[in-house]
Amino acid sequence: MVEISEKLRLGEVVLHVGHLKEMAGFYQEVIGLTLLEENDRIVRLGVRGSDEALLVLKKIDNAVVPEVPRIGLFHTAFLLPNRESLADVLVHLAQSGYPIDGAGDHAYSEALYLHDIEGNGIEIYADRPKNSWMRDSAGNLPMVTEQVDVDDLLKIATGEPFTGMPSGTVIGHVHLQVADADKAEQFYKEALGMNLTTAIPSARFFAAGDYHHHIGSNMWAGRNLENRRENEVGLAWFTIITPDKEAITTNLKQEGYEVKRFDETISVTDSNGIMIHFK
């Protein structure tokens, strides 16, 4: 089995959308992403100071929002460079009037949660210093969700006008909605060689190196989920950037997965039917 490099990181998340203009406006005005490129079919969004896209919106025709939960995206998680940035985002969201679903203190991070206008989940978070992360005797991270101390967070807001997500913001992790957590573990741990950092019966979390997680997966919507239909909005694919692409390709083929190659990118569908691109 390949041992995946701790240099792994997440690249762009690609969403199929029905209302391209409105979704692009939401991610710029409410979330604070920067427009990198747009045409009638695709919008690429990132943060100032970088030409690397974090989110790509692709318009599909005759689009509908799924009537029931589907295998795919639970949320895209935008990792901010520091806690002060999270405080500023919280102030901005409150002033925007857009509804926030909630907030969670996970011991290793503090996070805000909301959904976009087509129902895709979003997390915006900041990590605590790594030396403060709590681990059990096996080195794994417990699954903890406490209330965020909002008053303490707001104390460190800069008070400056919000001009978008700051330079240094990245996709910290992608959390997937799956039908089978055991199959997710087989793929991300065995086929990809990621570390299993947290496990409960209904969810698994995986990372390269000693991060808390780059990939999350859960069955909280049930075990009978089906994949997204072609005309339904939602996750098209997400991207993993890694120096281990060739070794991963070999391991995936040995594990029985079909790997497709497009120039410098390889593509595979995971054990729950979710597409991943590797760069």
Side-chain angles (χ1 to χ4, degrees), residues 71-72 176-178 227 235 238 268-270 272-276:
I71 291 170
L176 305 171
Q177 187 162 268
V178 302
N227 289 97
L235 180 67
F238 68 96
V268 68
T269 299
D270 79 2
N272 277 275
I274 297 168
M275 185 181 292
I276 310 167

Side-chain angles (χ1 to χ4, degrees), residues 31-232:
I31 303 302
L33 296 181
T34 297
L35 179 65
L36 302 178
E37 180 184 351
E38 67 175 333
N39 58 43
D40 291 342
R41 306 298 298 184
I42 296 178
V43 171
R44 298 176 67 252
L45 300 159
V47 294
R48 59 181 182 269
S50 173
D51 61 359
E52 184 173 304
L54 302 184
L55 188 72
V56 177
L57 308 176
K58 296 186 68 176
K59 182 176 175 58
I60 57 174
D61 296 323
N62 304 312
V64 297
V65 175
E67 295 182 355
V68 296
R70 297 292 194 200
I71 291 170
L73 187 68
F74 189 67
H75 60 236
T76 300
F78 297 95
L79 172 60
L80 301 172
N82 51 53
R83 192 169 186 251
E84 290 79 7
S85 299
L86 184 65
D88 287 345
V89 168
L90 177 58
V91 171
H92 162 69
L93 289 174
Q95 291 175 343
S96 76
Y98 193 85
I100 300 174
D101 296 336
D105 185 333
H106 302 300
Y108 50 73
S109 69
E110 294 171 286
L112 309 175
Y113 297 98
L114 62 158
H115 283 78
D116 69 24
I117 57 176
E118 291 191 350
N120 299 288
I122 299 167
E123 176 181 344
I124 302 171
Y125 75 110
D127 282 333
R128 285 200 166 91
K130 191 173 291 186
N131 60 12
S132 72
W133 295 0
M134 299 183 298
R135 297 181 185 270
D136 63 20
S137 58
N140 297 320
L141 291 155
M143 188 168 180
V144 177
T145 303
E146 304 288 349
Q147 289 187 341
V148 170
D149 188 338
V150 172
D151 291 338
D152 184 66
L153 185 60
L154 291 175
K155 287 177 184 177
I156 62 171
T158 65
E160 298 293 325
F162 185 74
T163 57
M165 284 195 173
S167 176
T169 299
V170 297
I171 302 294
H173 63 268
V174 175
H175 194 150
L176 305 171
Q177 187 162 268
V178 302
D180 192 320
D182 292 334
K183 285 185 177 180
E185 180 174 338
Q186 186 281 327
F187 180 84
Y188 290 98
K189 182 182 177 183
E190 303 301 330
L192 287 195
M194 301 183 83
N195 299 317
L196 179 65
T197 59
T198 305
I200 61 173
S202 61
R204 308 285 193 279
F205 296 84
F206 311 93
D210 61 355
Y211 195 54
H212 51 76
H213 66 293
H214 292 101
I215 306 292
S217 62
N218 76 69
M219 300 188 302
W220 299 332
R223 292 176 174 269
N224 298 316
L225 302 188
E226 297 180 354
N227 289 97
R228 183 184 57 80
R229 308 293 193 263
E230 287 189 3
N231 68 327
E232 289 178 336

Side-chain angles (χ1 to χ4, degrees), residues 235-274:
L235 180 67
W237 69 81
F238 68 96
T239 308
I240 292 176
I241 300 172
T242 172
D244 301 322
K245 186 173 60 177
E246 297 307 322
I248 287 172
T249 299
T250 299
N251 205 63
L252 287 170
K253 290 180 177 178
Q254 290 175 348
E255 293 287 331
Y257 291 94
E258 182 184 2
V259 179
K260 298 178 180 179
R261 186 178 295 272
F262 306 94
D263 296 326
E264 299 301 314
T265 300
I266 65 170
S267 175
V268 68
T269 299
D270 79 2
S271 51
N272 277 275
I274 297 168

